[in-house]
Amino acid sequence: MPKLLYASTSPYSSKVRMAAAYAGIAIDLVPVKTEDKPAELISANPLGKIPVLVLEDGRTIHDSRAITQHLNRLSKNVLFPRNPDKRLEAEVLEALADGICDCALSMVYERRTRPDAMVYQPWLDRQWAKITAALDLLNANPPKLPKKITAGQLALRATLGYLALRFGGQWEKGRGRLTRWAARFDEKFPELKGCVPG
Ligand SMILES: N[C@@H](CCC(=O)N[C@@H](CS)C(=O)NCC(=O)O)C(=O)O
């Protein structure tokens, strides 16, 4: 069985776990602490980032978007529609959701890795402005939640879970459509709730 090097708080790992579950692909979960730079992780991904999918034949796949594409091929297009326009829409939604996480993670690392006096507020503000703009766009036009969803919706659920975990109370105000979207997602796909960052 393929192994996923992951962390329960990692939004990209969360997306991939949801994608595997949604596509009905069994994976072994191997928790990893990136700060310890474990040899298994570094040999699988020299960037030392998770998630990484380790295939049975020893090949390794990163990053999370390469993994969702791989899972899509394995599942014969359960994660991305065949129709080119719809597929593009799903890929862009995944990229936007991941992009929000890139900004959020950059803020978390700025605070976590620098001494307090060296935390650079303009950098935090710049990242927060990007997150705000993306959330406003999504709140104005939340993606549909039909029975058959794509990796785009999975990515967005993972992202909102990460924001709730690290920025709880800071992003929800005025974004009721998006918070309701997450609640509706959990009602429709209760089997994926355990994959939300936490
Ligand atoms: N673009 C990558 C981002 C992966 C990423 O940044 N993962 C974080 C955890 S959420 C990580 O491994 N951080 C450790 C580090 O940067 O050293 C993806 O989509 O997989």
Side-chain angles (χ1 to χ4, degrees), residues 10-12 15 34 47-51 63-65 98 102 105 109:
S10 156
Y12 316 97
K15 172 188 69 179
T34 53
L47 302 172
K49 297 188 185 202
I50 50 170
D63 62 3
S64 67
R65 271 183 265 173
D98 283 6
D102 295 344
L105 216 65
Y109 288 161

Side-chain angles (χ1 to χ4, degrees), residues 7 9-13 15-16 32-35 37 41 45 47-52 62-67 94 98 101-102 105 109 112 162:
T9 53
S10 156
Y12 316 97
S13 303
K15 172 188 69 179
V16 164
V32 157
K33 287 192 174 144
T34 53
E35 59 275 21
K37 302 191 185 106
L41 172 63
N45 177 4
L47 302 172
K49 297 188 185 202
I50 50 170
V52 180
H62 62 84
D63 62 3
S64 67
R65 271 183 265 173
I67 298 173
E94 183 187 15
D98 283 6
C101 293
D102 295 344
L105 216 65
Y109 288 161
R112 190 182 289 166
Y162 185 70

Side-chain angles (χ1 to χ4, degrees), residues 9 26 42 101-102 118 127 167:
T9 53
I42 304 303
C101 293
D102 295 344
M118 292 177 74
Q127 300 308 314
F167 297 86

Side-chain angles (χ1 to χ4, degrees), residues 54-60:
V54 182
L55 303 184
E56 278 168 303
D57 64 8
R59 283 180 299 164
T60 57

Side-chain angles (χ1 to χ4, degrees), residues 161-184:
Y162 185 70
L163 290 176
L165 181 69
R166 299 289 189 224
F167 297 86
Q170 296 170 58
W171 64 275
E172 299 91 336
K173 197 160 175 266
R175 305 216 174 85
R177 294 181 76 190
L178 218 40
T179 51
R180 283 194 296 278
W181 184 91
R184 220 157 14 95

Side-chain angles (χ1 to χ4, degrees), residues 18 42 46 63 95 103 109 126 130 142 160 191:
M18 284 192 212
I42 304 303
D63 62 3
C103 299
Y109 288 161
R126 185 184 163 120
K130 292 173 194 285
L160 296 180
E191 70 282 9

